[in-house]
Amino acid sequence: MSASGKINAFGVSYETSDVIAKARIDLFKKKYPDVELKVSESSFDPQAFVTSLQSSNAPDVVRMSRDRIGTYVASGVLEPLTDCISKAGVNMSDYREAAVKQVTFDDTVYGMPEFFWVSNWLVDDDLFKQAGLDPATWDVGNWDQISAANTALMQKTKTKVAIDPKVSNEGDRFPMWVAAAGGQMLSDDGTKAMLDSQQVIDALTFTKSLIDAQGGLTAFKDKLDQTGDFFGKENGFKNNLEAAFPMQQWYLNVLATASPDTKITVKPFMSKTGQPVTMAEGDALAIVSKSQNKDAACAFITTMTSTEAWVAAATQRAAESKGKNEIQTGTSTGNKVAEEQIFSSLVDVGDNTTMKNAIDTYFKTFDSAFALPATRAAEDFRTAWIDGVNAALSGQKDPATAMKDAQQAAQSAIDAAQ
């Protein structure tokens, strides 16, 4: 592509980001030296983004999580990428279908998928052993076994947190629990909220019970604050302060760098019927419809998500890790062609069988991972179900009432957006 001039990217960081972001931006600058790129050095914030659209330096590009993009498609803020994809010669079949579906409306793509984070169970082997439990035989599709493990860990170990269902921080992994119960929160076409379904209520009731058994939401959050530095050497697994939780694949790199000798077991997140139901999350890069430099914006978003960029970034991180004698566990992207190269040739954990097994388990769940369906009421739908979860966890409402109210708010927003 031919591109020059200036572009502003909202929700994009360089100085405050890691090598994977920096290396891809560096590649873009090398390929397009006539483009002057300015980044916000911030994460996506809905209010700040809307405000930025009215400023004199309005963004040309925005990065946001894929489950939020529908709101901005519906309001006309984002540019259809049909022309961009054609000009850049992008083959959308290179990208994971679950990620592409989240950014597609009326058969039109509005965002280039970035990361493809899947979540599975991370288990602290030492704590499970102390509690008389075996991670290898722990049936995570059996909710009675999960509850029993929660009790045993609290009674027989000194851990701060036993089982963290990861639903207490803006919903976190809650959609996975709904899938594990055999349900979904939104219809496949994004037009019908399903938050008052029995499966959603069951998922909320069960995850709340795990938290209530550990003293309730306030006490649980206080205990989480006592589990050490989540991103550092003194993390909860290193010091046996947290026993098990579902977490995204990128956290393996944190553990591999900070505490590579920690003994953990990774288990696929399973449904009650014994099927893997890991959830895929991640960002997308989109072009703002009022951009005055759409060619440069297109060049940026397609370069950043290209196989060339991902492999170059992963190669650089692997080299840096090797120089520091650190393990590098790979980068999961929305670009499956890049992923295949990264995980087949760039991941090197040496003789660390713990990390090798962990990587293998995660990688095997990439193809079956689900994502929340796209909806034009994305922000309001997100707010509704998170508010419902929080109301139940805090005891303000019982799970059924909380999700009934959430359902009404969500469906009203969807109907209005349609």
Side-chain angles (χ1 to χ4, degrees):
M1 290 185 64
S2 176
S4 61
K6 298 180 180 180
I7 55 169
N8 294 326
F10 187 91
V12 176
S13 300
Y14 183 82
E15 295 297 339
T16 58
S17 199
D18 67 3
V19 65
I20 295 297
K22 287 182 176 180
R24 289 182 297 136
I25 291 175
D26 287 341
L27 177 66
F28 168 74
K29 290 180 176 180
K30 182 178 179 180
K31 288 172 70 81
Y32 296 95
D34 295 331
V35 176
E36 181 181 336
L37 172 67
K38 181 180 179 181
V39 301
S40 64
E41 296 290 356
S42 64
S43 57
F44 179 79
D45 177 83
Q47 200 75 35
F49 175 56
V50 172
T51 299
S52 73
L53 294 173
Q54 310 305 319
S55 72
S56 58
N57 293 312
D60 302 277
V61 168
V62 61
R63 169 188 281 139
M64 67 178 74
S65 61
R66 292 190 290 271
D67 66 338
R68 309 178 89 140
I69 201 169
T71 290
Y72 306 98
V73 172
S75 61
V77 169
L78 302 182
E79 179 80 0
L81 297 186
T82 306
D83 289 344
C84 171
I85 290 169
S86 177
K87 286 181 179 179
V90 174
N91 183 356
M92 292 306 296
S93 65
D94 288 349
Y95 296 80
R96 292 199 174 274
E97 184 179 0
V100 175
K101 279 185 176 181
Q102 281 195 299
V103 296
T104 302
F105 296 82
D106 297 330
D107 298 323
T108 300
V109 175
Y110 283 84
M112 292 301 299
E114 271 201 296
F115 294 96
F116 193 81
W117 297 312
V118 301
S119 293
N120 289 299
W121 281 102
L122 294 177
V123 181
D124 184 301
D125 291 355
D126 292 336
L127 284 172
F128 265 59
K129 183 177 179 180
Q130 292 172 24
L133 303 167
D134 181 2
T137 59
W138 186 39
D139 183 359
V140 293
N142 185 321
W143 287 10
D144 289 339
Q145 282 200 27
I146 295 176
S147 183
N150 195 43
T151 300
L153 287 158
M154 287 187 292
Q155 294 178 347
K156 298 179 182 180
T157 75
K158 295 181 180 180
T159 186
K160 291 294 183 180
V161 174
I163 307 295
D164 180 1
K166 287 291 180 187
V167 298
S168 61
N169 181 21
E170 293 195 339
D172 279 329
R173 314 278 87 82
F174 182 67
M176 295 174 64
W177 290 99
V178 174
Q184 58 190 88
M185 297 163 55
L186 183 64
S187 62
D188 290 339
D189 64 3
T191 64
K192 182 181 178 183
M194 303 168 71
L195 299 178
D196 59 351
S197 66
Q198 190 59 50
Q199 294 93 336
V200 174
I201 295 169
D202 289 347
L204 184 52
T205 301
F206 179 69
T207 53
K208 174 177 164 59
S209 74
L210 296 176
I211 291 173
D212 286 348
Q214 298 179 73
L217 184 61
T218 300
F220 181 75
K221 287 188 172 182
D222 287 343
K223 291 176 182 178
L224 280 174
D225 290 339
Q226 301 171 45
T227 57
D229 181 1
F230 191 73
F231 296 97
K233 293 183 178 180
E234 302 304 319
N235 57 71
F237 284 140
K238 162 75 179 303
N239 297 312
N240 296 332
L241 296 174
E242 193 163 8
F245 52 83
M247 191 61 203
Q248 296 162 326
Q249 183 268 347
W250 59 260
Y251 192 58
L252 291 184
N253 270 321
V254 174
L255 296 176
T257 301
S259 51
D261 296 327
T262 301
K263 297 303 178 184
I264 59 169
T265 295
V266 172
K267 300 182 72 68
F269 199 90
M270 305 293 283
S271 71
K272 297 177 80 171
T273 58
Q275 300 299 313
V277 287
T278 184
M279 178 173 67
E281 301 167 273
D283 300 325
L285 286 166
I287 298 174
V288 176
S289 57
K290 290 185 178 180
S291 168
Q292 298 300 303
N293 195 351
K294 291 176 183 175
D295 281 348
C298 176
F300 180 73
I301 69 172
T302 55
T303 298
M304 288 285 286
T305 56
S306 67
T307 300
E308 179 186 8
W310 284 118
V311 173
T315 300
Q316 182 173 327
R317 183 161 72 176
E320 291 182 5
S321 296
K322 187 174 182 179
K324 298 176 183 177
N325 199 29
E326 294 176 344
I327 292 172
Q328 204 282 112
T329 65
T331 301
S332 55
T333 81
N335 184 321
K336 60 186 178 184
V337 176
E339 270 182 353
E340 289 166 2
Q341 293 186 40
I342 292 168
F343 284 90
S344 65
S345 62
L346 293 176
V347 172
D348 182 8
V349 298
D351 58 359
N352 191 316
T353 56
T354 296
M355 285 298 165
K356 182 182 185 305
N357 291 336
I359 294 167
D360 289 346
T361 300
Y362 269 97
F363 189 71
K364 289 176 181 177
T365 64
F366 285 178
D367 289 341
S368 61
F370 77 93
L372 286 176
T375 174
R376 294 178 182 273
E379 290 283 12
D380 289 334
F381 177 75
R382 184 175 186 271
T383 297
W385 73 258
I386 290 175
D387 285 351
V389 169
N390 289 340
L393 295 182
S394 64
Q396 295 176 12
K397 301 176 183 177
D398 64 83
T401 301
M403 298 321 290
K404 179 181 178 181
D405 292 346
Q407 170 70 18
Q408 292 178 348
Q411 193 60 54
S412 295
I414 291 172
D415 291 343
Q418 290 299 113

